[in-house]
Amino acid sequence: MADRLPLTSPPVVGTYRVIPPMARFSGSAGALAPRPAPLVGQDTQDVLNELRRLEESAPIAAPEHSPVAEE
């Protein structure tokens, strides 16, 4: 049964079989080609940059009264 799964060949890791989507919906643009998961660390810089932008645009205010601080 596993030999009927489609193959994908991303760079670096080689060829392996993937599990296709379980559902197909009418009116959709068609089956999406399976894509590999990102490599370890591949998106780290993008995630950190996005967190930095979020922090700069909407800083979180510290609570005025914290039960932890009042102990």
Side-chain angles (χ1 to χ4, degrees):
M1 175 138 183
D3 59 337
R4 293 178 22 204
L5 293 173
L7 292 170
T8 187
S9 298
V12 180
V13 295
T15 301
Y16 60 91
R17 296 192 181 279
V18 294
I19 299 173
M22 297 300 292
R24 294 186 182 145
F25 299 98
S26 62
S28 64
L32 297 174
R35 56 185 183 169
L39 300 174
V40 174
Q42 179 177 341
D43 298 324
T44 301
Q45 194 61 49
D46 291 336
V47 170
L48 293 174
N49 289 339
E50 180 66 21
L51 288 172
R52 190 174 302 115
R53 281 193 296 272
L54 289 173
E55 188 177 81
E56 291 170 355
S57 66
I60 299 172
E64 291 181 24
H65 300 286
S66 171
V68 176
E70 294 175 7
E71 289 182 359

